[in-house]
Amino acid sequence: MATDRPMQLGMIGLGRMGANLVRRLMRDGHRCVVYDVDADAIRQLEAEGATGATSLQDFAAKLDPPRAAWLMLPTAIVDATLTQLVPLLAPGDTIIDGGNSYYRDDITRAKQLATQGIHYVDCGTSGGVWGLERGYCLMIGGQVEAVNHLDPIFKTIAPGKGDVEPTPSRTRTDGTAPEGYLHCGPNGAGHFVKMVHNGVEYGMMAAIAEGLSVIKHADAGKQTRTVDAETTPLRDPEAYQYDIDVGEVAEVWRRGSVVGSWLVDLTADAFARSPELDDFTGRVSDSGEGRWTVLAALDEGVPASVITTALYERFESRQLGEFTDRILSAMRSEFGGHAEKKP
């Protein structure tokens, strides 16, 4: 059903999420102007009804004032893009950063743009490649006036109440949180909440992965183990004689389990496609939000041991602790004459 207040929005960045945000908006009657360095991405959305732009100058010219420009870009290129875009805008226009920028950068950008009369809204966007159909959870920061003006955009992008059961004890009848979007506070607040959201995601992902790995190795008692001074013996091999199908465990956890979640759903699907996960090497990237969450926890004096450990696990997955391990091996050799075991 078309929105009762269709708007025009410009989207810069037509990657996995930016393009689907545009599609979701157009489905609900909003008009979209799109730009990306990839001309093919522009042409694809033009074929679906969007207005393509050939440059940032063309992009700004095709937006009706007051303009609303949404950036869906990697954090590293947001400032460079703003440097080119801002001179093309005018007082009363609004820039929305829907990526994963550091919330402290939002505070700085908002102050700088305010001197030119341009509004800045930070919008943490969660939903990944599934958001086109499911909708995107939005965590928004910015001035009340600017956020309220964009409400039809946020309402369209968000999942809405859908078939999710209402929170049993919730008595509040105001607010947009049950719709899947929330104005969290002034500039930076949206990305602050999204930052912590992603830190929590790190911890949840690590717990699921570790648990399934423990189950995967429940056959340790069947394995031949080296018997020497450098290898810890398995004390009770008979306690680890299980050949458990990890993919089926993920599947059963989806059904009524306390740990059932969308992450478990996705994990079960990954195992269904590749039981040994042969397409993956185990190298896990981190795009910044986990680090920033840990820094915030340090500043606030809030213990965040699970998120911190999950972040360090990602570092380990990329062999960033390899030199540390060499030093440990060298020390062990020096003080005890322990020969390093070869893999």
Side-chain angles (χ1 to χ4, degrees):
M1 182 181 295
T3 181
D4 57 359
R5 185 158 70 92
M7 296 182 66
Q8 184 195 51
L9 180 79
M11 180 68 68
I12 300 174
L14 306 177
R16 291 171 297 179
M17 291 181 67
N20 280 343
L21 285 168
V22 169
R23 292 184 175 102
R24 191 167 174 90
L25 287 164
M26 292 193 299
R27 282 183 183 180
D28 208 25
H30 299 286
R31 297 174 294 121
C32 292
V33 177
V34 298
Y35 175 71
D36 193 279
V37 294
D38 181 355
D40 288 338
I42 298 172
R43 283 192 287 270
Q44 177 62 52
L45 285 172
E46 281 182 318
E48 297 177 37
T51 300
T54 57
S55 65
L56 287 177
Q57 291 83 355
D58 187 37
F59 173 83
K62 287 178 175 175
L63 289 173
D64 303 328
R67 304 174 185 88
W70 185 301
L71 309 185
M72 208 66 190
L73 300 169
T75 303
I77 64 172
V78 170
D79 281 327
T81 303
L82 288 174
T83 297
Q84 299 177 62
L85 177 64
V86 171
L88 306 173
L89 303 181
D93 292 347
T94 302
I95 293 174
I96 308 105
D97 182 355
N100 281 325
S101 289
Y102 191 23
Y103 78 96
R104 294 191 179 196
D105 292 336
D106 295 321
I107 297 170
T108 301
R109 292 167 186 158
K111 288 179 179 178
Q112 292 172 342
L113 291 171
T115 65
Q116 302 177 57
I118 296 174
H119 302 292
Y120 181 87
V121 173
D122 51 284
C123 183
T125 309
S126 180
V129 296
W130 300 89
L132 176 60
E133 301 302 330
R134 291 169 56 100
Y136 298 86
C137 177
L138 304 177
M139 295 142 271
I140 306 159
Q143 297 174 320
V144 172
E145 175 189 356
V147 173
N148 287 347
H149 174 69
L150 294 166
D151 187 76
I153 296 292
F154 298 137
K155 191 176 184 67
T156 287
I157 293 171
K161 293 182 179 179
D163 57 1
V164 177
E165 290 292 327
T167 301
S169 300
R170 183 181 174 89
T171 58
R172 288 186 57 171
T173 57
D174 63 331
T176 60
E179 301 281 342
Y181 67 107
L182 178 66
H183 183 199
C184 300
N187 290 115
H191 276 151
F192 186 89
V193 174
K194 178 56 162 51
M195 172 188 79
V196 178
H197 165 283
N198 283 22
V200 171
E201 181 182 295
Y202 280 31
M204 293 174 67
M205 290 174 67
I208 293 167
E210 289 175 7
L212 291 174
S213 186
V214 171
I215 292 171
K216 170 75 171 176
H217 293 93
D219 64 348
K222 294 183 175 183
Q223 308 303 317
T224 301
R225 299 172 71 87
T226 302
V227 178
D228 60 26
E230 305 301 319
T231 305
T232 304
L234 182 61
R235 179 167 179 168
D236 296 306
E238 66 274 13
Y240 300 97
Q241 298 287 322
Y242 305 117
D243 295 304
I244 301 173
D245 188 326
V246 179
E248 289 298 278
V249 172
E251 181 65 28
V252 78
W253 281 0
R254 298 182 60 212
R255 314 290 175 171
S257 163
V258 172
V259 300
S261 64
W262 189 35
L263 288 173
V264 173
D265 292 346
L266 297 175
T267 302
D269 194 56
F271 276 115
R273 292 195 308 273
S274 177
E276 297 298 325
L277 302 181
D278 295 324
D279 295 336
F280 301 94
T281 64
R283 180 183 174 89
V284 186
S285 299
D286 74 289
S287 53
E289 302 83 43
R291 302 185 190 207
W292 303 332
T293 302
V294 171
L295 290 174
L298 287 169
D299 285 343
E300 296 171 359
V302 173
S305 54
V306 171
I307 295 172
T308 303
T309 301
L311 174 64
Y312 287 164
E313 285 186 358
R314 293 194 176 200
F315 295 166
E316 287 288 356
S317 79
R318 306 200 299 273
Q319 288 78 53
L320 296 178
E322 182 182 4
F323 193 67
T324 303
D325 295 338
R326 291 185 188 182
I327 296 171
L328 288 171
S329 186
M331 285 191 289
R332 196 163 182 271
S333 175
E334 291 297 320
F335 73 67
H338 298 283
E340 184 177 76
K341 289 179 68 68
K342 301 303 180 183

